[in-house]
Amino acid sequence: MSTDFSPVNAADIQQVAVIGAGTMGRGIAISFANAGIQVTLVDLNEDVRQQALTYIQGIYAGMVKRERITQADADACLARFSLSGDYQDIADVQLAIEAVYENIDLKKKIFQQLDSTLNPAAILATNTSYLDVDAIAAVTSRPQQVLGLHFFSPAHIMKLLEIVRAEKTAPAVIQLAEDLGSRLNKVAVVAGNCHGFIGNRMLEPYVFEARRLLLEGALPAQVDNALQAWGMAMGPFRMYDVVGIDLEWRARQLSGTVLEEGSDAEMNVRIDNRLCELERFGQKSGQGYYRYEAGSREALVDDSVNALVIEESGKAGFERRDISDDEIVSRCILALVNEGAKILDEGIARNSADIDKVYLNGYGFPKERGGPMAWADSEGLVGVLADMKDLQQANGNRWEPAALLKSLAADGQTFSSIKN
Ligand code: NAD
């Protein structure tokens, strides 16, 4: 299959469809309407469509009330929306963005449907967080027109847009996506196709350390406070309370993932599992790692969660110890840097500045530190490598320093010197 395909210019995109009117679909649709583009939200569930409409109306009413836009502008934006439960209604759109549940079989089914229903020039994008965009593209007859457009939640507010380049995506389609990102007023970063792309792939080892620290002796508020004092907008457990602790738990259940009993990975999710079994899903259920008073988003320490953490770490055989804030920051941030180095080495990111853009605009990394890779460069890679070797000695081989970090440190170079 040729990767030659000349799409319309981003400026000529006038009609898009968003498939799935849930959390992400709504925000994505608002982003397009705000940019002057007609958008049809497709969801098979009529109640969800109605809820989505009410939600969108509420967003614009709020903006008018806060004098962010005029009533006339709000009306003009609202007039750009339509809702539908029928794929035939979107046959003429120039771009469709799928934002249904994170399930590869469902996404493949929808891409087959889009491929057979939409006009041959239409571009098909997925908002998947982790799934294989090549596998999704492969079920269509137009893989050169398939890519990932990974928005962040809430999609009408968060600046970051990860553009995922699948193996067969035409270069012109990537260019269109970058131009479209500007039109939507987003910070767009192109990523290669791998599990979690740039941002979520790096998040995994970061969260791994945060969870492991709970088992070793820390408590959720200590981990969050240490990282927030360092400058992160939100610590990992507060972030999970916002995003929903249950997402990964449900995904594990749906996919039938069974982690090996007693493995590091399995022990690391025991606290999450317990919280989910107690229906402590995060802010949406009024309690998660923290508790919340009715109508408030202030994360309050919950002694029962601390007791649960201590109980689970005992059950997993850990002898709890005092953990310093320095150790928390060092382990979490260096985990980001090491994965970032692998991503750079594999060509998943074009350069280290793109990785930094992802973390600054999508994950609340402190601006004054420049992003994880710029921070590591400014610390000096020789010192970063030495710290990582110490961590490897203390914590085992998950801390094996990335090959690129070793070679750059040996050459007295920086991550910023790499251009893919
Ligand atoms: P959600 O559960 O809020 O919404 C999914 C929607 O898809 C539901 O409204 C459902 O009715 C609809 N749907 C299911 N099957 C459908 C079909 N055949 N046709 C049309 N609609 C259908 O999910 P979400 O949180 O918005 O996540 C959607 C996608 O975005 C997932 O791939 C997720 O990984 C990704 N994502 C989520 C976030 C986040 O923070 N929630 C962030 C970035 C990316």
Side-chain angles (χ1 to χ4, degrees), residues 17-189:
V18 178
I19 318 300
T23 310
M24 293 307 294
R26 296 168 193 193
I28 295 169
I30 293 171
S31 294
F32 279 97
N34 287 350
I37 299 169
Q38 300 281 340
V39 54
T40 304
L41 253 173
V42 177
D43 202 298
L44 303 184
N45 183 324
E46 197 182 336
D47 290 344
V48 171
R49 292 202 298 275
Q50 193 47 53
Q51 287 158 13
L53 185 60
T54 307
Y55 172 85
I56 290 164
Q57 286 166 338
I59 292 288
Y60 285 107
M63 286 200 275
V64 171
K65 199 169 160 202
R66 291 194 306 281
E67 296 182 359
R68 300 273 301 280
I69 56 173
T70 64
Q71 184 64 52
D73 285 343
D75 291 342
C77 285
L78 281 166
R80 296 188 189 113
F81 286 92
S82 20
L83 285 113
S84 171
D86 184 352
Y87 282 76
Q88 292 301 333
D89 289 345
I90 57 166
D92 296 330
V93 298
Q94 295 154 298
L95 164 69
I97 300 162
E98 164 280 313
V100 302
Y101 307 126
E102 186 77 344
N103 176 302
I104 189 82
D105 293 331
L106 175 62
K107 289 187 192 274
K108 283 181 178 172
K109 199 180 109 201
I110 286 174
F111 271 72
Q112 277 168 335
Q113 185 149 19
L114 291 172
D115 191 36
S116 62
T117 320
L118 269 50
N119 68 87
I123 291 162
L124 312 181
T126 172
N127 184 50
T128 180
S129 305
Y130 291 97
L131 299 173
D132 181 357
V133 184
D134 286 330
I136 295 171
V139 304
T140 73
S141 63
R142 56 179 105 184
Q144 70 284 0
Q145 286 153 253
V146 177
L147 78 168
L149 287 179
H150 184 209
F151 291 79
F152 288 70
S153 182
H156 57 293
I157 293 175
M158 293 294 285
K159 282 281 178 201
L160 182 61
L161 173 65
E162 267 184 330
I163 296 169
V164 184
R165 186 187 57 222
E167 198 192 329
K168 293 184 178 161
T169 315
V173 171
I174 297 297
Q175 185 58 55
L176 165 87
E178 291 192 75
D179 295 344
L180 190 62
S182 309
R183 206 176 150 194
L184 298 179
N185 201 17
K186 300 287 182 196
V187 175
V189 170

Side-chain angles (χ1 to χ4, degrees), residues 4 14 95 178 279 318 406:
D4 293 341
Q14 288 161 356
L95 164 69
E178 291 192 75
E279 299 192 357
F318 285 86
K406 288 188 206 165

